[in-house]
Amino acid sequence: MFDFKGKVAVVTGGANGIGKCISEKFREAGASVCVIDVVDNDFFVGDIGDKETLEHFAEKVICKYGKVDFLINNAPPRMCGIDEGSYEDFEYAMRVGVTAPFYLSKLFSKCFAEGAAIVNISSSRDRMSQPQTESYTAAKGGISALTHAMAVSFAGKVRVNSVSPGWIDTAYTVYEGPDAVQQPSGRVGDPCDIANMVLYLCSDMAGFITGENVCIDGGMTKQMIYHGDFGWSLDTEAEKTKTW
């Protein structure tokens, strides 16, 4: 479906999960893929929460290819909450989830090719939350806002969009029963659901789309959920045991 021969794609966190699927899809479409991840991979092992690491990575990409066509800011930030999360935990989550995407975009700003695209991987948590997820949620909210800011700054040079995944099972588990039925789509997502959208947003077919966020969550964030309505119920006993 996509032809990216001669293109260079940079994928952060590209050795596992959604990032791995994105990397594989780009390779299948003919692109050269530059991955940075803390786990072993064939291009660059390093922590994007570190400024010098980002600089060394960008230098390697530019020296090898001389350009960047697609930047996919995918690496996930650390999740910690108000009870257990430290100042350092929260700060590190911001470095990985917001600062690194900003800085990589800046480092590549002079070598983005014609028709280049940036896709930031946010989360449906940029608009909804569970308890004790403050660092992850704040980082994902930050990258969603960063998306439209960079779309304006890069206007006419690079299109910038974001994707907000919902429940994506990176082990490709097929769920049945309530886990699947609760979702308007009737199933839990898998990494291909996100990767396909990322490649679309990088393609010429999305040439008039910039500054947008696409939420891919099986419709979960569109449901109105109230106790006692349409089969939904709150475990009131569990609520009674909450401590603050």
Side-chain angles (χ1 to χ4, degrees), residues 39-85:
V39 302
D40 190 47
N41 65 84
D42 62 2
F43 191 81
F44 196 100
V45 176
D47 181 357
I48 68 167
D50 177 71
K51 178 175 180 285
E52 290 187 358
T53 297
L54 291 174
E55 292 168 347
H56 293 153
F57 170 66
E59 182 180 15
K60 181 175 180 178
V61 173
I62 294 167
C63 286
K64 184 166 184 177
Y65 294 105
K67 67 165 186 172
V68 172
D69 293 281
F70 313 122
L71 170 60
I72 315 303
N73 290 305
N74 164 79
R78 176 178 297 167
M79 185 181 289
C80 66
I82 202 76
D83 288 351
E84 301 296 333

Side-chain angles (χ1 to χ4, degrees), residues 6-144:
K7 304 295 187 181
V8 177
V10 173
V11 184
T12 71
N16 280 311
I18 292 173
K20 181 179 180 181
C21 185
I22 292 170
S23 298
E24 290 172 347
K25 291 284 187 181
F26 269 121
R27 291 190 183 101
E28 290 171 9
S32 298
V33 181
C34 304
V35 166
I36 180 170
D37 204 307
V38 292
V39 302
D40 190 47
N41 65 84
D42 62 2
F43 191 81
F44 196 100
V45 176
D47 181 357
I48 68 167
D50 177 71
K51 178 175 180 285
E52 290 187 358
T53 297
L54 291 174
E55 292 168 347
H56 293 153
F57 170 66
E59 182 180 15
K60 181 175 180 178
V61 173
I62 294 167
C63 286
K64 184 166 184 177
Y65 294 105
K67 67 165 186 172
V68 172
D69 293 281
F70 313 122
L71 170 60
I72 315 303
N73 290 305
N74 164 79
R78 176 178 297 167
M79 185 181 289
C80 66
I82 202 76
D83 288 351
E84 301 296 333
S86 67
Y87 178 94
E88 290 76 17
D89 289 335
F90 192 89
E91 182 187 45
Y92 179 70
M94 295 304 107
R95 293 206 312 270
V96 170
V98 183
T99 306
F102 164 79
Y103 195 46
L104 274 181
S105 301
K106 181 179 177 67
L107 290 170
F108 291 134
S109 62
K110 290 182 170 56
C111 63
F112 279 118
E114 183 178 354
I118 298 171
V119 180
N120 297 320
I121 304 302
S122 182
S123 168
S124 59
R125 293 176 188 272
D126 64 2
R127 67 206 69 190
M128 58 192 293
S129 295
Q130 291 174 306
Q132 306 303 322
T133 62
E134 279 76 14
S135 68
Y136 189 91
T137 298
K140 292 305 185 180
I143 201 170
S144 290

Side-chain angles (χ1 to χ4, degrees), residues 16-18 21 167-175 188-192:
N16 280 311
I18 292 173
C21 185
W167 181 359
I168 304 297
D169 192 288
T170 57
Y172 297 87
T173 305
V174 177
Y175 290 84
V188 172
D190 70 52
C192 291

